[in-house]
Amino acid sequence: MNKIVRLEDIFGCSAAKPKLSAPKLPDRITLGMPHLSANGLSEGWLLKELGHRHWFLLAEAAGMAVPDFRTASGEPVYAAFRAVSLSGCDLASACENDVLTLSSSLEPLSRTQVSSRHRLTIAGRPIGTIELLSTFVKRDVGGGNHNVARIAVDGLSPKRTQAPANGIAARAAAFRSAPAAELARFTFDPCPSQDFNGAGFLYFTSFLALVDRAEWQFDRACALTATTASRDIFYRGNIDPGETVAVALLAHRTTTDGVAHHCRLLRVTDGTIIADVFSVRARTSDRHDRHPIQ
């Protein structure tokens, strides 16, 4: 059963205390090498940035100066991502010195779940919409990353009585893994200094990085110039440092201008499924021919 926590307990404030304002993050970013990959806007950088914004939007909603969420007993509370969805993406069109504009909004869906939506534009042209769905969790008794307890927040009321049937929360709730024949399997050993976040969890963007590394093995011809057109990631677990992850390719087909595939990530120590990732990848022309390095 989910534990019910008062809003002032989890947010470390009470109704009697004045609300503070979290610092506003800039909504315009001039793109350079940290933001780009070989084939356009870096999906890894983008999701890290939006995850950071999601965290600060939660702080703003809670009237906090910084996102330091804790229970009444002082235990850290995290916003663990349950699902991430990218749609309508044209990441290949982003180039150095372009100005990326981010328009972000936050919506509580229940006492345990919050969704943020981020619309991306360059010079007024849409290049993608990203939605992130998180739930409040804390490490369960015994610590480690295998077991976390979801925390229901009493007071974080959704704006509407029911989430849209086609929304990311509904898709995450409806998704059920089914037995499927593996077409291929690749094993990776995540590195603590590169793949884990400051809370000690395998970072939500590292799941994506493992899928892309697997794609580089099973479809190198496409992966060489591929960017994501759309992607749905459903998170179901985590690993401790030192554990390995298997990426199982369950489906793979050629599309008109690229490929689509379904990869399942499993914790090798016990075979637990920790994520399913559905990707539609588009081939692009050689960016270095169009934009030679000066």
Side-chain angles (χ1 to χ4, degrees):
M1 181 179 296
N2 292 331
K3 181 180 178 183
I4 307 298
V5 179
R6 292 178 302 164
L7 184 63
E8 56 264 33
D9 289 341
I10 191 171
F11 288 150
C13 61
S14 69
K17 294 181 181 179
K19 284 196 171 186
L20 303 175
S21 296
K24 291 284 188 182
L25 300 178
D27 59 5
R28 292 165 60 86
I29 299 172
T30 300
L31 301 179
M33 291 301 108
H35 315 100
L36 300 170
S37 71
N39 298 321
L41 190 64
S42 166
E43 193 175 349
W45 168 83
L46 176 63
L47 292 184
K48 288 179 181 179
E49 176 66 23
L50 298 185
H52 182 59
R53 288 170 183 268
H54 182 97
W55 194 227
F56 271 77
L57 286 169
L58 286 171
E60 181 181 23
M64 300 172 65
V66 293
D68 183 19
F69 300 91
R70 295 182 181 274
T71 64
S73 59
E75 298 173 283
V77 173
Y78 308 106
F81 289 110
R82 287 193 61 214
V84 171
S85 178
L86 299 90
S87 60
C89 291
D90 181 19
L91 306 184
S93 66
C95 298
E96 187 178 4
N97 300 322
D98 282 345
V99 176
L100 174 69
T101 299
L102 299 169
S103 176
S104 302
S105 60
L106 186 79
E107 181 177 3
L109 301 178
S110 71
R111 290 184 301 167
T112 62
Q113 295 187 112
V114 180
S115 171
S116 66
R117 183 179 294 271
H118 311 265
R119 293 178 172 84
L120 285 57
T121 59
I122 292 177
R125 175 175 48 83
I127 66 164
T129 299
I130 320 296
E131 189 173 358
L132 296 89
L133 175 69
S134 72
T135 187
F136 291 107
V137 301
K138 70 178 184 67
R139 281 190 170 87
D140 212 345
V141 178
N145 294 342
H146 289 203
N147 296 307
V148 295
R150 185 183 298 187
I151 295 179
V153 180
D154 187 17
L156 190 64
S157 301
K159 294 180 180 178
R160 50 189 168 194
T161 57
Q162 186 174 2
N166 61 344
I168 188 173
R171 296 202 304 277
F175 177 74
R176 297 290 184 273
S177 61
E182 291 186 11
L183 304 178
R185 177 178 282 223
F186 310 89
T187 302
F188 301 95
D189 185 9
C191 172
S193 67
Q194 295 294 321
D195 299 310
F196 288 75
N197 64 14
F201 292 103
L202 184 68
Y203 202 19
F204 81 108
T205 60
S206 296
F207 291 72
L208 168 66
L210 295 178
V211 170
D212 282 358
R213 290 189 176 100
E215 181 189 71
W216 183 240
Q217 300 300 314
F218 66 73
D219 195 343
R220 183 160 296 200
C222 181
L224 184 64
T225 62
T227 60
T228 295
S230 64
R231 195 178 324 242
D232 284 331
I233 311 168
F234 300 101
Y235 299 94
R236 306 175 62 185
N238 212 279
I239 66 168
D240 289 319
E243 293 185 303
T244 53
V245 175
V247 178
L249 177 64
L250 302 185
H252 180 239
R253 63 181 176 84
T254 301
T255 65
T256 303
D257 58 357
V259 299
H261 51 73
H262 170 201
C263 289
R264 176 166 292 165
L265 282 69
L266 305 99
R267 194 164 57 216
V268 171
T269 50
D270 57 9
T272 296
I273 299 170
I274 60 172
D276 277 273
V277 183
F278 300 84
S279 308
V280 176
R281 303 273 282 166
R283 294 186 181 91
T284 64
S285 58
D286 192 329
R287 289 171 51 83
H288 302 296
D289 288 343
R290 293 185 289 121
H291 305 282
I293 297 175
Q294 300 298 321

Short mmCIF file of all heavy atoms in Angstrom, two decimals, residues 3-37:
data_model
loop_
_atom_site.label_atom_id
_atom_site.label_comp_id
_atom_site.label_asym_id
_atom_site.label_seq_id
_atom_site.Cartn_x
_atom_site.Cartn_y
_atom_site.Cartn_z
N LYS A 3 2.13 4.82 0.90
CA LYS A 3 2.10 5.64 2.11
C LYS A 3 1.57 7.02 1.76
O LYS A 3 1.94 7.61 0.75
CB LYS A 3 3.50 5.75 2.69
CG LYS A 3 3.59 6.58 3.96
CD LYS A 3 5.03 6.61 4.44
CE LYS A 3 5.15 7.47 5.69
NZ LYS A 3 6.57 7.56 6.13
N ILE A 4 0.66 7.53 2.59
CA ILE A 4 0.12 8.86 2.38
C ILE A 4 0.92 9.85 3.21
O ILE A 4 1.06 9.70 4.42
CB ILE A 4 -1.37 8.94 2.78
CG1 ILE A 4 -2.16 7.85 2.06
CG2 ILE A 4 -1.93 10.32 2.46
CD1 ILE A 4 -2.16 7.97 0.57
N VAL A 5 1.47 10.85 2.58
CA VAL A 5 2.29 11.84 3.25
C VAL A 5 1.67 13.21 3.05
O VAL A 5 1.24 13.55 1.95
CB VAL A 5 3.74 11.83 2.70
CG1 VAL A 5 4.58 12.87 3.39
CG2 VAL A 5 4.34 10.45 2.88
N ARG A 6 1.60 14.00 4.11
CA ARG A 6 1.07 15.36 3.97
C ARG A 6 1.97 16.19 3.06
O ARG A 6 3.18 16.03 3.07
CB ARG A 6 0.96 16.03 5.34
CG ARG A 6 -0.08 15.41 6.25
CD ARG A 6 -0.09 16.11 7.60
NE ARG A 6 1.23 16.04 8.22
CZ ARG A 6 1.62 16.81 9.23
NH1 ARG A 6 0.82 17.74 9.70
NH2 ARG A 6 2.83 16.68 9.74
N LEU A 7 1.37 17.09 2.33
CA LEU A 7 2.13 17.90 1.39
C LEU A 7 3.24 18.66 2.09
O LEU A 7 4.36 18.74 1.60
CB LEU A 7 1.19 18.88 0.68
CG LEU A 7 1.82 19.75 -0.41
CD1 LEU A 7 2.33 18.88 -1.54
CD2 LEU A 7 0.82 20.76 -0.92
N GLU A 8 2.94 19.22 3.30
CA GLU A 8 3.97 19.97 4.00
C GLU A 8 5.10 19.08 4.48
O GLU A 8 6.23 19.52 4.66
CB GLU A 8 3.38 20.75 5.19
CG GLU A 8 2.64 19.88 6.19
CD GLU A 8 1.15 19.88 5.91
OE1 GLU A 8 0.78 19.99 4.72
OE2 GLU A 8 0.36 19.78 6.86
N ASP A 9 4.82 17.77 4.68
CA ASP A 9 5.88 16.85 5.08
C ASP A 9 6.84 16.59 3.92
O ASP A 9 8.05 16.67 4.06
CB ASP A 9 5.29 15.52 5.56
CG ASP A 9 4.58 15.66 6.91
OD1 ASP A 9 4.86 16.64 7.61
OD2 ASP A 9 3.77 14.78 7.23
N ILE A 10 6.28 16.26 2.76
CA ILE A 10 7.14 15.89 1.64
C ILE A 10 7.86 17.10 1.06
O ILE A 10 9.01 17.02 0.63
CB ILE A 10 6.34 15.16 0.54
CG1 ILE A 10 7.30 14.55 -0.47
CG2 ILE A 10 5.37 16.07 -0.14
CD1 ILE A 10 6.60 13.64 -1.44
N PHE A 11 7.20 18.26 1.09
CA PHE A 11 7.81 19.44 0.52
C PHE A 11 8.62 20.24 1.53
O PHE A 11 9.21 21.25 1.21
CB PHE A 11 6.74 20.35 -0.10
CG PHE A 11 6.16 19.81 -1.37
CD1 PHE A 11 4.88 20.09 -1.74
CD2 PHE A 11 6.92 19.00 -2.20
CE1 PHE A 11 4.34 19.60 -2.92
CE2 PHE A 11 6.40 18.50 -3.37
CZ PHE A 11 5.11 18.80 -3.73
N GLY A 12 8.63 19.80 2.81
CA GLY A 12 9.44 20.48 3.80
C GLY A 12 8.96 21.88 4.12
O GLY A 12 9.75 22.75 4.46
N CYS A 13 7.67 22.11 3.96
CA CYS A 13 7.13 23.43 4.28
C CYS A 13 5.73 23.25 4.82
O CYS A 13 5.16 22.17 4.75
CB CYS A 13 7.11 24.34 3.04
SG CYS A 13 6.08 23.70 1.71
N SER A 14 5.16 24.26 5.36
CA SER A 14 3.79 24.20 5.86
C SER A 14 3.01 25.37 5.29
O SER A 14 3.57 26.33 4.77
CB SER A 14 3.77 24.26 7.39
OG SER A 14 4.18 25.54 7.83
N ALA A 15 1.70 25.26 5.40
CA ALA A 15 0.85 26.31 4.84
C ALA A 15 1.10 27.64 5.53
O ALA A 15 0.85 28.70 4.98
CB ALA A 15 -0.61 25.91 4.98
N ALA A 16 1.60 27.58 6.80
CA ALA A 16 1.83 28.81 7.54
C ALA A 16 3.09 29.53 7.09
O ALA A 16 3.28 30.71 7.35
CB ALA A 16 1.93 28.49 9.03
N LYS A 17 3.98 28.82 6.43
CA LYS A 17 5.23 29.42 5.98
C LYS A 17 5.04 30.09 4.63
O LYS A 17 4.30 29.60 3.78
CB LYS A 17 6.32 28.35 5.87
CG LYS A 17 6.72 27.73 7.20
CD LYS A 17 7.81 26.70 7.00
CE LYS A 17 8.21 26.05 8.31
NZ LYS A 17 9.26 25.02 8.10
N PRO A 18 5.71 31.21 4.40
CA PRO A 18 5.58 31.87 3.09
C PRO A 18 6.19 31.00 2.00
O PRO A 18 7.20 30.33 2.21
CB PRO A 18 6.37 33.17 3.27
CG PRO A 18 7.34 32.87 4.37
CD PRO A 18 6.63 31.92 5.29
N LYS A 19 5.54 31.02 0.84
CA LYS A 19 6.07 30.26 -0.28
C LYS A 19 7.27 30.98 -0.89
O LYS A 19 7.29 32.21 -0.96
CB LYS A 19 4.98 30.05 -1.34
CG LYS A 19 3.96 29.00 -0.97
CD LYS A 19 3.16 28.58 -2.18
CE LYS A 19 2.28 27.37 -1.87
NZ LYS A 19 1.60 26.87 -3.08
N LEU A 20 8.23 30.20 -1.31
CA LEU A 20 9.41 30.74 -1.96
C LEU A 20 9.34 30.46 -3.45
O LEU A 20 8.56 29.63 -3.90
CB LEU A 20 10.67 30.11 -1.34
CG LEU A 20 10.83 30.30 0.17
CD1 LEU A 20 12.04 29.52 0.67
CD2 LEU A 20 10.95 31.77 0.54
N SER A 21 10.17 31.12 -4.20
CA SER A 21 10.17 30.93 -5.65
C SER A 21 11.44 30.22 -6.08
O SER A 21 12.55 30.67 -5.77
CB SER A 21 10.08 32.28 -6.37
OG SER A 21 8.85 32.91 -6.07
N ALA A 22 11.26 29.11 -6.79
CA ALA A 22 12.41 28.43 -7.36
C ALA A 22 12.97 29.28 -8.49
O ALA A 22 12.22 29.99 -9.17
CB ALA A 22 12.00 27.05 -7.88
N PRO A 23 14.28 29.27 -8.70
CA PRO A 23 14.86 30.08 -9.78
C PRO A 23 14.32 29.65 -11.14
O PRO A 23 14.16 28.46 -11.41
CB PRO A 23 16.36 29.80 -9.66
CG PRO A 23 16.46 28.52 -8.90
CD PRO A 23 15.29 28.48 -7.98
N LYS A 24 14.00 30.61 -11.97
CA LYS A 24 13.51 30.33 -13.31
C LYS A 24 14.67 29.93 -14.21
O LYS A 24 15.69 30.62 -14.26
CB LYS A 24 12.82 31.57 -13.88
CG LYS A 24 11.51 31.91 -13.20
CD LYS A 24 10.40 30.99 -13.64
CE LYS A 24 9.06 31.46 -13.11
NZ LYS A 24 7.97 30.54 -13.50
N LEU A 25 14.53 28.81 -14.89
CA LEU A 25 15.55 28.39 -15.83
C LEU A 25 15.31 29.08 -17.17
O LEU A 25 14.15 29.30 -17.56
CB LEU A 25 15.52 26.87 -16.00
CG LEU A 25 15.76 26.07 -14.72
CD1 LEU A 25 15.66 24.57 -15.00
CD2 LEU A 25 17.11 26.39 -14.11
N PRO A 26 16.36 29.45 -17.88
CA PRO A 26 16.17 30.17 -19.15
C PRO A 26 15.41 29.32 -20.15
O PRO A 26 15.62 28.11 -20.25
CB PRO A 26 17.60 30.45 -19.62
CG PRO A 26 18.45 29.45 -18.90
CD PRO A 26 17.78 29.22 -17.59
N ASP A 27 14.51 29.95 -20.90
CA ASP A 27 13.72 29.20 -21.89
C ASP A 27 14.33 29.27 -23.28
O ASP A 27 13.79 28.70 -24.23
CB ASP A 27 12.27 29.69 -21.93
CG ASP A 27 12.14 31.17 -22.27
OD1 ASP A 27 13.18 31.80 -22.57
OD2 ASP A 27 11.01 31.68 -22.25
N ARG A 28 15.47 29.96 -23.42
CA ARG A 28 16.17 30.04 -24.70
C ARG A 28 17.62 29.63 -24.50
O ARG A 28 18.31 30.17 -23.62
CB ARG A 28 16.08 31.46 -25.28
CG ARG A 28 14.67 31.85 -25.71
CD ARG A 28 14.56 33.36 -25.93
NE ARG A 28 15.46 33.84 -26.95
CZ ARG A 28 15.19 33.86 -28.25
NH1 ARG A 28 14.02 33.40 -28.67
NH2 ARG A 28 16.05 34.33 -29.12
N ILE A 29 18.08 28.68 -25.31
CA ILE A 29 19.43 28.14 -25.18
C ILE A 29 20.11 28.20 -26.55
O ILE A 29 19.58 27.66 -27.53
CB ILE A 29 19.42 26.69 -24.67
CG1 ILE A 29 18.77 26.63 -23.27
CG2 ILE A 29 20.83 26.11 -24.63
CD1 ILE A 29 18.55 25.21 -22.78
N THR A 30 21.25 28.87 -26.62
CA THR A 30 22.03 28.88 -27.85
C THR A 30 22.82 27.58 -27.93
O THR A 30 23.61 27.27 -27.05
CB THR A 30 22.98 30.08 -27.89
OG1 THR A 30 22.20 31.29 -27.80
CG2 THR A 30 23.78 30.09 -29.19
N LEU A 31 22.61 26.83 -29.00
CA LEU A 31 23.17 25.49 -29.12
C LEU A 31 24.64 25.51 -29.50
O LEU A 31 25.07 26.28 -30.36
CB LEU A 31 22.38 24.67 -30.15
CG LEU A 31 20.89 24.49 -29.87
CD1 LEU A 31 20.24 23.68 -30.98
CD2 LEU A 31 20.66 23.84 -28.51
N GLY A 32 25.40 24.66 -28.83
CA GLY A 32 26.81 24.46 -29.15
C GLY A 32 27.16 22.99 -29.02
O GLY A 32 26.27 22.13 -28.99
N MET A 33 28.42 22.68 -28.92
CA MET A 33 28.85 21.29 -28.88
C MET A 33 28.25 20.48 -27.73
O MET A 33 27.91 19.31 -27.92
CB MET A 33 30.38 21.20 -28.84
CG MET A 33 31.07 21.64 -30.13
SD MET A 33 30.54 20.68 -31.60
CE MET A 33 29.54 21.89 -32.46
N PRO A 34 28.07 21.06 -26.52
CA PRO A 34 27.47 20.25 -25.44
C PRO A 34 26.04 19.79 -25.75
O PRO A 34 25.57 18.81 -25.18
CB PRO A 34 27.49 21.20 -24.23
CG PRO A 34 28.55 22.20 -24.53
CD PRO A 34 28.48 22.39 -26.02
N HIS A 35 25.35 20.52 -26.64
CA HIS A 35 23.94 20.24 -26.89
C HIS A 35 23.71 19.39 -28.13
O HIS A 35 22.58 18.98 -28.39
CB HIS A 35 23.20 21.58 -27.08
CG HIS A 35 23.56 22.62 -26.08
ND1 HIS A 35 24.45 23.64 -26.35
CD2 HIS A 35 23.19 22.77 -24.79
CE1 HIS A 35 24.58 24.40 -25.27
NE2 HIS A 35 23.84 23.90 -24.31
N LEU A 36 24.76 19.15 -28.90
CA LEU A 36 24.61 18.50 -30.20
C LEU A 36 25.28 17.13 -30.23
O LEU A 36 26.24 16.88 -29.50
CB LEU A 36 25.19 19.38 -31.30
CG LEU A 36 24.55 20.77 -31.46
CD1 LEU A 36 25.37 21.62 -32.41
CD2 LEU A 36 23.11 20.65 -31.94
N SER A 37 24.76 16.28 -31.09
CA SER A 37 25.40 15.01 -31.40
C SER A 37 25.85 15.05 -32.86
O SER A 37 25.71 16.09 -33.53
CB SER A 37 24.42 13.84 -31.19
OG SER A 37 23.42 13.87 -32.20
#
